[in-house]
Amino acid sequence: MDQHTPAPAERYAAATADAACDLSDALTPAPAWTQPALEDVVETVELLTQLLAAHGPAAAHALAHMPRTLTRLRSALDLEETSASAASPRTTRPGRRGLGPGYQGLTTTPAPQARRPLGTGTPPR
């Protein structure tokens, strides 16, 4: 990776910011929220809060009120309560994961062929 290639955290943070802007554009001027969209956005805010709080004690202190705030938000939006653990699986759709840097696709090797013994005239079946 050269000095001009952004680190993975920078790429993902930029993609998240772009997605938030796209969501804002899609909901302007008349918001048309669906229940699944609300759940996804609140779960995203919860996860981002946990990630930022893990940045250090000052960040954790600044974000200490967020779990209570998000619980109140879930209640106000009539969303199902989830645990505050980042390790809890999503219930709305399966988790996603990247294929990793340098992914080149699946390669297949030919299946080994049964070889006939030397000196026999017919191939094995």
Side-chain angles (χ1 to χ4, degrees), residues 2-47:
D2 65 25
Q3 65 187 22
H4 300 292
T5 304
E10 292 171 1
R11 287 195 325 263
Y12 291 124
T16 300
D18 289 343
C21 290
D22 291 344
L23 178 63
S24 176
D25 291 345
L27 294 174
T28 303
W33 288 94
T34 62
Q35 211 57 15
L38 287 170
E39 289 172 2
D40 283 345
V41 170
V42 172
E43 286 180 10
T44 301
V45 171
E46 288 171 339
L47 180 59

Side-chain angles (χ1 to χ4, degrees), residues 6-89:
E10 292 171 1
R11 287 195 325 263
Y12 291 124
T16 300
D18 289 343
C21 290
D22 291 344
L23 178 63
S24 176
D25 291 345
L27 294 174
T28 303
W33 288 94
T34 62
Q35 211 57 15
L38 287 170
E39 289 172 2
D40 283 345
V41 170
V42 172
E43 286 180 10
T44 301
V45 171
E46 288 171 339
L47 180 59
L48 291 173
T49 298
Q50 292 169 2
L51 289 171
L52 286 170
H55 183 62
H61 180 72
L63 294 168
H65 72 284
M66 286 299 290
R68 289 186 307 276
T69 301
L70 290 168
T71 297
R72 287 195 314 266
L73 177 61
R74 282 186 169 281
S75 177
L77 297 174
D78 293 325
L79 298 176
E80 184 178 312
E81 208 47 51
T82 62
S83 79
S85 169
S88 64

